[in-house]
Amino acid sequence: MKYLLLPAILLLASCTTATHFPIDQTPFDKALWSILIEEENGQTLYALNADKLMIPASNRKLFAAATIATCLGATTQLSTDVYRDGEDLIVKGDGDPSLGSWRYSREDDFDRLAETLRAKGVTNVRDLVIDVSTFDRVLLPGGWKLGNVGSDYSAPVDAITWGENEIPTDRAVESPALHAGNVLRESLYLRGISVANVRVNTEPRALPEKIAIEKIASIPSPFVAQLLQTVLKNSHNLYAEMLLKRSSNGTYDASFALERALLAGEVHVPRDSFRFVDGSGLAPDNLVSARASIALLRWMNHPSRRAFWWPILAQPNNDGTLRRRLVTLEERLRGKTGTINGVAALSGIIAMPDGRYRYFSVMVNHHIGDGDEAVKIIDLIVEWAARTSPRTRSSS
């Protein structure tokens, strides 16, 4: 391992001393590093284990976001629809992760719905039915570790959510549908509308074909492009999971199939250079190579797509996961961070002074060191990449 890492130390010594890049020193000498830095023309500035499959953590969200934008459409709005069926009220979820979210100033979504119902003369509801049939019943990706389940960053993934499925003490609700139903029940009660029961429907129903059913309200989401900012800038797991499932027929299998087709057919990423088992990167079973990540970044940064992707990636010194990192590159760098236990990653795009772009992906796996120290090393490598001359090259 020390032999493989030595070229990186020599390469980076041009801008700092070797002791400032301790990837060959304890404890990072026992970790696995993957680094790839390329010019816009494909010239390699540095490569180390660039084709090794690595755990990407939330760098995985880059691939999910590409799938979501392509399959759903950037200008799509998801719609939580409300129907009246006799004495019952049916709320059909559409996979909107922002319903009731403070992030989009939507805490009053259900209050406004209750006011609409009251204005229509509704005073009693027998069954408040929360319909989540848009999604299947796989609420937790199979690759998530048991120790993560129940935390606010690993909330169950269903077709309806309220307030990002969070409750006090950094925990997640166990049943998103029941939680949403109970919140709506309270909003209705405060406006003089009684609800006898709250129940969940998981089986598809042909609602429009039933003559007795009346659609009485719709709650639209922000545009998918706006929701993707929360996926990429804030690295929000629930948004990534819900939107990825919504990209297909509401199942992970179908969404993964669409993703594989996009990556292989349009982005030209070899099928043996990635494996994804969730949408957010929380699962340690996700694998991807640095070269595959850069291929996707090149696709995103193509002139026909740059205006869309550049503003919604994380930016140094701004809101999001890069707000306190690489601040001197605020105007020049956009990227995606990733951190889980023993893993740190950063992949992104750098605008160079000559008008061209540079691409990088840096990942470290299986480290037992301090996570902040791993991040500092990654940032030093990226700072070097942002200023080094293309004449300085090394690879291994």
Side-chain angles (χ1 to χ4, degrees), residues 212-236:
I213 289 182
E214 173 193 7
K215 184 177 180 179
I216 56 177
S218 292
I219 308 174
S221 75
F223 295 117
V224 165
Q226 295 172 277
L227 299 175
L228 283 175
Q229 293 191 50
T230 302
V231 173
L232 294 174
K233 287 182 179 290
N234 305 106
S235 201
H236 202 289

PDB file of all heavy atoms in Angstrom, residues 212-236:
ATOM      1  N   ALA A 212     -68.746   7.663  -7.442  1.00  0.00           N
ATOM      2  CA  ALA A 212     -69.012   8.321  -6.158  1.00  0.00           C
ATOM      3  C   ALA A 212     -67.833   9.151  -5.673  1.00  0.00           C
ATOM      4  O   ALA A 212     -67.978   9.967  -4.773  1.00  0.00           O
ATOM      5  CB  ALA A 212     -69.364   7.268  -5.100  1.00  0.00           C
ATOM      6  N   ILE A 213     -66.672   8.960  -6.280  1.00  0.00           N
ATOM      7  CA  ILE A 213     -65.472   9.638  -5.788  1.00  0.00           C
ATOM      8  C   ILE A 213     -65.318  10.994  -6.456  1.00  0.00           C
ATOM      9  O   ILE A 213     -65.420  11.114  -7.679  1.00  0.00           O
ATOM     10  CB  ILE A 213     -64.224   8.766  -6.015  1.00  0.00           C
ATOM     11  CG1 ILE A 213     -64.272   7.576  -5.065  1.00  0.00           C
ATOM     12  CG2 ILE A 213     -62.955   9.565  -5.804  1.00  0.00           C
ATOM     13  CD1 ILE A 213     -63.081   6.684  -5.179  1.00  0.00           C
ATOM     14  N   GLU A 214     -65.012  12.005  -5.646  1.00  0.00           N
ATOM     15  CA  GLU A 214     -64.829  13.366  -6.133  1.00  0.00           C
ATOM     16  C   GLU A 214     -63.443  13.857  -5.726  1.00  0.00           C
ATOM     17  O   GLU A 214     -63.071  13.804  -4.556  1.00  0.00           O
ATOM     18  CB  GLU A 214     -65.900  14.286  -5.522  1.00  0.00           C
ATOM     19  CG  GLU A 214     -65.701  15.740  -5.841  1.00  0.00           C
ATOM     20  CD  GLU A 214     -66.563  16.655  -4.976  1.00  0.00           C
ATOM     21  OE1 GLU A 214     -67.208  16.142  -4.031  1.00  0.00           O
ATOM     22  OE2 GLU A 214     -66.555  17.869  -5.235  1.00  0.00           O
ATOM     23  N   LYS A 215     -62.700  14.303  -6.705  1.00  0.00           N
ATOM     24  CA  LYS A 215     -61.402  14.907  -6.393  1.00  0.00           C
ATOM     25  C   LYS A 215     -61.640  16.331  -5.936  1.00  0.00           C
ATOM     26  O   LYS A 215     -62.205  17.148  -6.658  1.00  0.00           O
ATOM     27  CB  LYS A 215     -60.494  14.889  -7.626  1.00  0.00           C
ATOM     28  CG  LYS A 215     -59.097  15.422  -7.353  1.00  0.00           C
ATOM     29  CD  LYS A 215     -58.225  15.317  -8.601  1.00  0.00           C
ATOM     30  CE  LYS A 215     -56.832  15.839  -8.360  1.00  0.00           C
ATOM     31  NZ  LYS A 215     -55.967  15.729  -9.570  1.00  0.00           N
ATOM     32  N   ILE A 216     -61.181  16.624  -4.726  1.00  0.00           N
ATOM     33  CA  ILE A 216     -61.514  17.934  -4.163  1.00  0.00           C
ATOM     34  C   ILE A 216     -60.304  18.822  -3.906  1.00  0.00           C
ATOM     35  O   ILE A 216     -60.472  20.016  -3.646  1.00  0.00           O
ATOM     36  CB  ILE A 216     -62.321  17.783  -2.849  1.00  0.00           C
ATOM     37  CG1 ILE A 216     -61.557  16.936  -1.847  1.00  0.00           C
ATOM     38  CG2 ILE A 216     -63.688  17.194  -3.122  1.00  0.00           C
ATOM     39  CD1 ILE A 216     -62.278  16.818  -0.507  1.00  0.00           C
ATOM     40  N   ALA A 217     -59.107  18.278  -3.995  1.00  0.00           N
ATOM     41  CA  ALA A 217     -57.935  19.119  -3.765  1.00  0.00           C
ATOM     42  C   ALA A 217     -56.674  18.421  -4.263  1.00  0.00           C
ATOM     43  O   ALA A 217     -56.636  17.182  -4.373  1.00  0.00           O
ATOM     44  CB  ALA A 217     -57.786  19.463  -2.282  1.00  0.00           C
ATOM     45  N   SER A 218     -55.661  19.209  -4.571  1.00  0.00           N
ATOM     46  CA  SER A 218     -54.339  18.703  -4.924  1.00  0.00           C
ATOM     47  C   SER A 218     -53.298  19.576  -4.234  1.00  0.00           C
ATOM     48  O   SER A 218     -53.461  20.798  -4.154  1.00  0.00           O
ATOM     49  CB  SER A 218     -54.108  18.730  -6.437  1.00  0.00           C
ATOM     50  OG  SER A 218     -54.936  17.811  -7.105  1.00  0.00           O
ATOM     51  N   ILE A 219     -52.246  18.937  -3.751  1.00  0.00           N
ATOM     52  CA  ILE A 219     -51.147  19.669  -3.118  1.00  0.00           C
ATOM     53  C   ILE A 219     -49.895  19.422  -3.955  1.00  0.00           C
ATOM     54  O   ILE A 219     -49.305  18.343  -3.900  1.00  0.00           O
ATOM     55  CB  ILE A 219     -50.918  19.203  -1.674  1.00  0.00           C
ATOM     56  CG1 ILE A 219     -52.225  19.243  -0.870  1.00  0.00           C
ATOM     57  CG2 ILE A 219     -49.849  20.067  -0.996  1.00  0.00           C
ATOM     58  CD1 ILE A 219     -52.085  18.657   0.538  1.00  0.00           C
ATOM     59  N   PRO A 220     -49.483  20.402  -4.772  1.00  0.00           N
ATOM     60  CA  PRO A 220     -48.334  20.182  -5.646  1.00  0.00           C
ATOM     61  C   PRO A 220     -47.009  20.347  -4.905  1.00  0.00           C
ATOM     62  O   PRO A 220     -46.895  21.127  -3.957  1.00  0.00           O
ATOM     63  CB  PRO A 220     -48.499  21.262  -6.713  1.00  0.00           C
ATOM     64  CG  PRO A 220     -49.175  22.381  -5.983  1.00  0.00           C
ATOM     65  CD  PRO A 220     -50.096  21.720  -4.976  1.00  0.00           C
ATOM     66  N   SER A 221     -46.018  19.627  -5.368  1.00  0.00           N
ATOM     67  CA  SER A 221     -44.663  19.778  -4.835  1.00  0.00           C
ATOM     68  C   SER A 221     -43.947  20.892  -5.593  1.00  0.00           C
ATOM     69  O   SER A 221     -44.412  21.347  -6.637  1.00  0.00           O
ATOM     70  CB  SER A 221     -43.883  18.476  -5.015  1.00  0.00           C
ATOM     71  OG  SER A 221     -43.491  18.320  -6.376  1.00  0.00           O
ATOM     72  N   PRO A 222     -42.786  21.330  -5.113  1.00  0.00           N
ATOM     73  CA  PRO A 222     -41.915  22.151  -5.964  1.00  0.00           C
ATOM     74  C   PRO A 222     -41.503  21.334  -7.186  1.00  0.00           C
ATOM     75  O   PRO A 222     -41.717  20.125  -7.258  1.00  0.00           O
ATOM     76  CB  PRO A 222     -40.713  22.441  -5.053  1.00  0.00           C
ATOM     77  CG  PRO A 222     -41.220  22.229  -3.651  1.00  0.00           C
ATOM     78  CD  PRO A 222     -42.234  21.136  -3.765  1.00  0.00           C
ATOM     79  N   PHE A 223     -40.886  21.997  -8.139  1.00  0.00           N
ATOM     80  CA  PHE A 223     -40.393  21.278  -9.311  1.00  0.00           C
ATOM     81  C   PHE A 223     -39.316  20.283  -8.902  1.00  0.00           C
ATOM     82  O   PHE A 223     -38.584  20.490  -7.924  1.00  0.00           O
ATOM     83  CB  PHE A 223     -39.821  22.261 -10.338  1.00  0.00           C
ATOM     84  CG  PHE A 223     -40.845  23.193 -10.920  1.00  0.00           C
ATOM     85  CD1 PHE A 223     -40.748  24.558 -10.722  1.00  0.00           C
ATOM     86  CD2 PHE A 223     -41.901  22.699 -11.673  1.00  0.00           C
ATOM     87  CE1 PHE A 223     -41.691  25.423 -11.263  1.00  0.00           C
ATOM     88  CE2 PHE A 223     -42.850  23.554 -12.218  1.00  0.00           C
ATOM     89  CZ  PHE A 223     -42.749  24.925 -12.010  1.00  0.00           C
ATOM     90  N   VAL A 224     -39.217  19.202  -9.648  1.00  0.00           N
ATOM     91  CA  VAL A 224     -38.198  18.192  -9.369  1.00  0.00           C
ATOM     92  C   VAL A 224     -36.807  18.822  -9.325  1.00  0.00           C
ATOM     93  O   VAL A 224     -35.962  18.448  -8.507  1.00  0.00           O
ATOM     94  CB  VAL A 224     -38.268  17.062 -10.409  1.00  0.00           C
ATOM     95  CG1 VAL A 224     -37.009  16.189 -10.371  1.00  0.00           C
ATOM     96  CG2 VAL A 224     -39.508  16.199 -10.165  1.00  0.00           C
ATOM     97  N   ALA A 225     -36.548  19.789 -10.183  1.00  0.00           N
ATOM     98  CA  ALA A 225     -35.248  20.462 -10.175  1.00  0.00           C
ATOM     99  C   ALA A 225     -34.951  21.087  -8.819  1.00  0.00           C
ATOM    100  O   ALA A 225     -33.804  21.068  -8.335  1.00  0.00           O
ATOM    101  CB  ALA A 225     -35.201  21.536 -11.266  1.00  0.00           C
ATOM    102  N   GLN A 226     -35.961  21.652  -8.178  1.00  0.00           N
ATOM    103  CA  GLN A 226     -35.775  22.233  -6.845  1.00  0.00           C
ATOM    104  C   GLN A 226     -35.539  21.143  -5.805  1.00  0.00           C
ATOM    105  O   GLN A 226     -34.686  21.296  -4.918  1.00  0.00           O
ATOM    106  CB  GLN A 226     -37.001  23.066  -6.471  1.00  0.00           C
ATOM    107  CG  GLN A 226     -37.210  24.288  -7.340  1.00  0.00           C
ATOM    108  CD  GLN A 226     -38.538  24.955  -7.058  1.00  0.00           C
ATOM    109  OE1 GLN A 226     -39.588  24.558  -7.574  1.00  0.00           O
ATOM    110  NE2 GLN A 226     -38.507  25.978  -6.232  1.00  0.00           N
ATOM    111  N   LEU A 227     -36.278  20.062  -5.899  1.00  0.00           N
ATOM    112  CA  LEU A 227     -36.108  18.968  -4.947  1.00  0.00           C
ATOM    113  C   LEU A 227     -34.720  18.348  -5.063  1.00  0.00           C
ATOM    114  O   LEU A 227     -34.137  17.903  -4.059  1.00  0.00           O
ATOM    115  CB  LEU A 227     -37.181  17.906  -5.169  1.00  0.00           C
ATOM    116  CG  LEU A 227     -38.638  18.369  -4.976  1.00  0.00           C
ATOM    117  CD1 LEU A 227     -39.600  17.245  -5.338  1.00  0.00           C
ATOM    118  CD2 LEU A 227     -38.883  18.846  -3.547  1.00  0.00           C
ATOM    119  N   LEU A 228     -34.171  18.339  -6.276  1.00  0.00           N
ATOM    120  CA  LEU A 228     -32.834  17.775  -6.471  1.00  0.00           C
ATOM    121  C   LEU A 228     -31.752  18.619  -5.800  1.00  0.00           C
ATOM    122  O   LEU A 228     -30.675  18.108  -5.485  1.00  0.00           O
ATOM    123  CB  LEU A 228     -32.541  17.617  -7.958  1.00  0.00           C
ATOM    124  CG  LEU A 228     -33.209  16.425  -8.629  1.00  0.00           C
ATOM    125  CD1 LEU A 228     -32.937  16.428 -10.129  1.00  0.00           C
ATOM    126  CD2 LEU A 228     -32.742  15.104  -8.016  1.00  0.00           C
ATOM    127  N   GLN A 229     -32.019  19.890  -5.567  1.00  0.00           N
ATOM    128  CA  GLN A 229     -31.058  20.688  -4.807  1.00  0.00           C
ATOM    129  C   GLN A 229     -30.901  20.135  -3.397  1.00  0.00           C
ATOM    130  O   GLN A 229     -29.788  20.112  -2.848  1.00  0.00           O
ATOM    131  CB  GLN A 229     -31.508  22.146  -4.741  1.00  0.00           C
ATOM    132  CG  GLN A 229     -31.473  22.853  -6.074  1.00  0.00           C
ATOM    133  CD  GLN A 229     -31.669  24.343  -5.927  1.00  0.00           C
ATOM    134  OE1 GLN A 229     -31.011  25.005  -5.134  1.00  0.00           O
ATOM    135  NE2 GLN A 229     -32.602  24.885  -6.694  1.00  0.00           N
ATOM    136  N   THR A 230     -31.998  19.680  -2.808  1.00  0.00           N
ATOM    137  CA  THR A 230     -31.928  19.085  -1.472  1.00  0.00           C
ATOM    138  C   THR A 230     -31.189  17.755  -1.522  1.00  0.00           C
ATOM    139  O   THR A 230     -30.470  17.401  -0.588  1.00  0.00           O
ATOM    140  CB  THR A 230     -33.347  18.902  -0.901  1.00  0.00           C
ATOM    141  OG1 THR A 230     -33.996  20.176  -0.861  1.00  0.00           O
ATOM    142  CG2 THR A 230     -33.308  18.333   0.507  1.00  0.00           C
ATOM    143  N   VAL A 231     -31.342  17.020  -2.611  1.00  0.00           N
ATOM    144  CA  VAL A 231     -30.615  15.762  -2.771  1.00  0.00           C
ATOM    145  C   VAL A 231     -29.116  16.011  -2.852  1.00  0.00           C
ATOM    146  O   VAL A 231     -28.314  15.344  -2.177  1.00  0.00           O
ATOM    147  CB  VAL A 231     -31.092  15.013  -4.031  1.00  0.00           C
ATOM    148  CG1 VAL A 231     -30.222  13.783  -4.301  1.00  0.00           C
ATOM    149  CG2 VAL A 231     -32.554  14.599  -3.889  1.00  0.00           C
ATOM    150  N   LEU A 232     -28.695  16.981  -3.656  1.00  0.00           N
ATOM    151  CA  LEU A 232     -27.282  17.163  -3.955  1.00  0.00           C
ATOM    152  C   LEU A 232     -26.589  18.155  -3.026  1.00  0.00           C
ATOM    153  O   LEU A 232     -25.487  17.892  -2.553  1.00  0.00           O
ATOM    154  CB  LEU A 232     -27.118  17.603  -5.414  1.00  0.00           C
ATOM    155  CG  LEU A 232     -27.538  16.557  -6.450  1.00  0.00           C
ATOM    156  CD1 LEU A 232     -27.473  17.132  -7.853  1.00  0.00           C
ATOM    157  CD2 LEU A 232     -26.671  15.308  -6.341  1.00  0.00           C
ATOM    158  N   LYS A 233     -27.192  19.295  -2.786  1.00  0.00           N
ATOM    159  CA  LYS A 233     -26.557  20.280  -1.913  1.00  0.00           C
ATOM    160  C   LYS A 233     -26.582  19.836  -0.451  1.00  0.00           C
ATOM    161  O   LYS A 233     -25.571  19.918   0.256  1.00  0.00           O
ATOM    162  CB  LYS A 233     -27.252  21.639  -2.044  1.00  0.00           C
ATOM    163  CG  LYS A 233     -26.977  22.384  -3.333  1.00  0.00           C
ATOM    164  CD  LYS A 233     -27.671  23.724  -3.325  1.00  0.00           C
ATOM    165  CE  LYS A 233     -27.396  24.514  -4.603  1.00  0.00           C
ATOM    166  NZ  LYS A 233     -25.995  24.981  -4.688  1.00  0.00           N
ATOM    167  N   ASN A 234     -27.749  19.378   0.005  1.00  0.00           N
ATOM    168  CA  ASN A 234     -27.922  19.005   1.409  1.00  0.00           C
ATOM    169  C   ASN A 234     -27.725  17.523   1.663  1.00  0.00           C
ATOM    170  O   ASN A 234     -27.713  17.094   2.812  1.00  0.00           O
ATOM    171  CB  ASN A 234     -29.310  19.425   1.901  1.00  0.00           C
ATOM    172  CG  ASN A 234     -29.580  20.895   1.697  1.00  0.00           C
ATOM    173  OD1 ASN A 234     -30.337  21.284   0.815  1.00  0.00           O
ATOM    174  ND2 ASN A 234     -28.940  21.738   2.491  1.00  0.00           N
ATOM    175  N   SER A 235     -27.590  16.744   0.596  1.00  0.00           N
ATOM    176  CA  SER A 235     -27.356  15.300   0.696  1.00  0.00           C
ATOM    177  C   SER A 235     -28.423  14.617   1.543  1.00  0.00           C
ATOM    178  O   SER A 235     -28.117  13.797   2.410  1.00  0.00           O
ATOM    179  CB  SER A 235     -25.959  15.023   1.275  1.00  0.00           C
ATOM    180  OG  SER A 235     -25.532  13.722   0.948  1.00  0.00           O
ATOM    181  N   HIS A 236     -29.673  14.929   1.256  1.00  0.00           N
ATOM    182  CA  HIS A 236     -30.779  14.403   2.068  1.00  0.00           C
ATOM    183  C   HIS A 236     -31.165  13.012   1.585  1.00  0.00           C
ATOM    184  O   HIS A 236     -31.582  12.822   0.438  1.00  0.00           O
ATOM    185  CB  HIS A 236     -31.981  15.336   1.989  1.00  0.00           C
ATOM    186  CG  HIS A 236     -32.924  15.182   3.130  1.00  0.00           C
ATOM    187  ND1 HIS A 236     -33.722  14.077   3.292  1.00  0.00           N
ATOM    188  CD2 HIS A 236     -33.184  15.982   4.210  1.00  0.00           C
ATOM    189  CE1 HIS A 236     -34.451  14.203   4.388  1.00  0.00           C
ATOM    190  NE2 HIS A 236     -34.133  15.352   4.970  1.00  0.00           N
TER     191      HIS A 236
END
